[in-house]
Every structure is written in structure tokens, then in C-alpha cells.
Amino acid sequence: MEDENQAQERVYHFKDRVMLHNASINITHLGVRYRSLEALDNVSCVIKPGRLTGIYGPNGAGKSTLMKAMLGLVDSSGTVLYQGKPLTEQLEKVAYVPQRSAIDWTYPATVWDVVMMGRVKKTGWLRSFSGVSRQIAKSALQRVGILEYRDRAIGQLSGGQQQRVFLARALAQEAEIFCLDEPFVGIDQKTQTVLFEVFHELAAAGKTVLVVNHDLGETTTHFDDIILLNRQIIAAGLRKQVMTEQNLYRAYGGKVMYFSDAA
Ligand SMILES: Nc1ncnc2c1ncn2[C@@H]1O[C@H](COP(=O)(O)OP(=O)(O)O)[C@@H](O)[C@H]1O
Ligand SMILES: [Mg+2]
């Protein structure tokens, strides 16, 4: 019997398909177990570059787990390929901003320290402090509008400012793939605007931008593609095709009222 994998391989025979396939992140049969809990079950989807992709689903749906599994931060079964090779072998191409609640804000680092850490990941300790690196870190802080806070301790910043620091660090990394987990939680409207501006710029530059969210709201309309998750993939693809009442009901149950913007 021919399974999905074999069918895909057959398709990749054609050269143009290979090109198309290679540029994306291909997740195939991804599964994660935490002891007796099956957090992700048989998740397969494609995440395309040059587009803004949102992962939506209720609390406990496995959104953070999906991102962590992609980056090899939790044990998983299945495969995650980027440009045809395991993503975990190319983590230098990834900038990851975890959920704010997962970061230790008492850690005694300044805004500048945190952004320079992005350069360490990119170049290693010795080269990270070059003039070029400092200029890149400075531009990143400027881009998110918090250069004047460069000497502040990160613990003293507001939620929105903290989120901007981590976005600046991600930018300083000069990554190809940007993964952010619930960046809109506990931030101000201005920060949300800056975040979406930067995401759109990155996508326009051909980067892959993947953002986890749980609240269905106006943020959904910014995304080109949406992955609707509840332990399994409920639907994935073009926003307008995914955000139907039926799919949302299957993902969230009766817990939310949402009026689909699908035409
Ligand atoms: N390290 C862990 N050990 C055990 N269970 C976990 C762990 N991390 C997450 N879980 C459980 O796995 C499920 C999915 O969690 P998570 O990926 O954080 O969901 P989401 O980000 O969508 O809210 C939840 O039921 C959560 O309680
Ligand atoms: Mg989460």
C-alpha cells in the first residue's frame, strides 16, 4: 500500500517540485508523548517561506510542543525537514522566542546583553563582539524602537518592551526561520503593531515566520497561512480556507464565538 510519504516521494521526482518542496519546512507524522499524555498525534504539514504562518488552538492543544519538537527541544517521532534536511541539524538558521512565562526575568542581563546573545549564536563568542555585530544589534534595537533602553535590566521592562528585546535578538541572529511562541500575550497595542510590521518585512524578504497564538481575535487576519491544532491538525493552509466555523468548532469546541472572515 502506498502511504503519504511514498506518494510525496513520487511527486518530488519532478525537478520543479523538488525546488518548491525544498524551500519549505516539511513536518511529517510528528508525534510527542509526555509519559501517558499524547500531546501531538500524527502531525503533518508544510510551512512555507515568504509567508506569515500562525499556529492556533486552545490551551493545551500542543502548540508550544509542536514548536519545541520542530527544534528538537522535546523528544518526538516523525520528521521535520527544512530544505530537504533535518531542521535540527540547521538550528543556526532558526531564531526562537519562547513564551514569556518560560523566560527567567530575574536573570541579571541588560537589553544590550540579550540582543548580543543573538550574535553569539550567529558567529560564536569571539566574533560576536566585532563592530559589525554591534552595528547589527544596534539596528535591531532601533527597528523595534527600544534603542534608548539598551542599558536597562530586562527584568525592569514592561511586557511589551521585553517582547521587543527578544524580537531584536531574533533579528540580530539574521536567521532564516523565525519561531515565536505567544508573542502577543501581555503586550501593548504599539508593540503588537511593531511586531506585525517586522513579521511582514521578514516574510517579504523571503523568511519563514511562524507564530503561536491561542486567542482568536483580530491577530488572525494578519496571517497568510494558519495551522489549526488540537493535538492533531484540524486544518492547515490558506487562512480563508482554514478559518471556517466548522474547523474552529472542531479545534476550540463551544469555548469561543468567532465569526469567520472567510468569504
Ligand atoms: N514537559 C511536560 N511534561 C508533561 N506534560 C506536558 C509538558 N509540557 C506540556 N505538557 C502537556 O502537554 C499538553 C500540550 O502542552 P503545550 O504544548 O504547552 O500546549 P499549548 O502550548 O497549546 O498550550 C498539555 O496538556 C500540557 O499540560
Ligand atoms: Mg503554549
Side-chain angles (χ1 to χ4, degrees):
M1 209 180 77
E2 188 181 57
D3 69 18
E4 241 176 76
N5 260 337
Q6 290 168 311
Q8 271 188 352
E9 270 160 28
R10 227 162 23 88
V11 172
Y12 298 153
H13 236 67
F14 300 102
K15 204 165 174 238
D16 56 336
R17 296 290 184 136
V18 172
M19 300 289 289
L20 227 114
H21 157 68
N22 272 349
S24 303
I25 297 174
N26 279 259
I27 298 174
T28 317
H29 303 312
L30 194 67
V32 174
R33 260 188 175 285
Y34 296 117
R35 300 213 176 122
S36 62
L37 179 81
E38 195 167 32
L40 288 180
D41 174 27
N42 197 23
V43 166
S44 298
C45 59
V46 176
I47 300 160
K48 294 176 185 155
R51 302 175 68 74
L52 203 44
T53 302
I55 302 178
Y56 281 84
N59 267 326
K63 305 180 298 295
S64 297
T65 299
L66 172 56
M67 210 166 244
K68 287 181 195 164
M70 287 173 61
L71 305 179
L73 299 172
V74 294
D75 287 338
S76 60
S77 54
T79 57
V80 180
L81 302 181
Y82 175 60
Q83 298 181 335
K85 288 178 292 197
L87 181 59
T88 50
E89 291 171 13
Q90 313 172 68
L91 291 179
E92 72 284 357
K93 296 176 185 166
V94 181
Y96 170 52
V97 180
Q99 264 179 275
R100 238 156 43 78
S101 57
I103 296 167
D104 177 10
W105 295 105
T106 62
Y107 189 79
T110 64
V111 167
W112 183 254
D113 295 335
V114 171
V115 177
M116 284 304 269
M117 281 177 216
R119 296 305 300 167
V120 172
K121 260 188 126 172
K122 176 82 184 172
T123 66
W125 281 107
L126 289 178
R127 289 179 52 217
S128 66
F129 300 105
S130 69
V132 173
S133 277
R134 280 199 297 273
Q135 189 50 50
I136 287 169
K138 196 176 156 198
S139 315
L141 281 169
Q142 231 155 13
R143 178 61 195 91
V144 301
I146 50 166
L147 183 58
E148 70 267 35
Y149 296 121
R150 56 185 285 170
D151 296 323
R152 290 266 185 100
I154 50 164
Q156 294 171 356
L157 303 177
S158 72
Q161 290 162 344
Q162 289 174 340
Q163 199 62 62
R164 289 196 219 182
V165 173
F166 277 81
L167 179 58
R169 183 181 72 163
L171 291 175
Q173 240 180 284
E174 298 183 304
E176 291 173 28
I177 301 166
F178 292 79
C179 296
L180 296 95
D181 197 345
E182 305 228 18
F184 304 118
V185 171
I187 65 168
D188 51 293
Q189 188 60 46
K190 170 73 188 149
T191 299
Q192 180 172 317
T193 306
V194 170
L195 258 58
F196 273 119
E197 274 172 17
V198 171
F199 295 163
H200 286 298
E201 281 169 19
L202 290 169
K207 313 281 186 182
T208 303
V209 186
L210 188 60
V211 183
V212 164
N213 309 283
H214 77 270
D215 275 337
L216 287 169
E218 40 118 14
T219 59
T220 58
T221 57
H222 287 272
F223 291 95
D224 303 304
D225 294 328
I226 285 185
I227 296 168
L228 209 49
L229 189 73
N230 197 349
R231 281 199 326 105
Q232 302 179 320
I233 296 272
I234 305 294
L238 287 177
R239 168 168 51 87
K240 296 218 165 186
Q241 285 168 10
V242 168
M243 300 302 261
T244 64
E245 246 176 86
Q246 198 190 10
N247 284 338
L248 289 167
Y249 190 84
R250 285 176 60 217
Y252 286 84
K255 282 175 235 143
V256 284
M257 285 289 279
Y258 174 82
F259 297 97
S260 160
D261 67 333

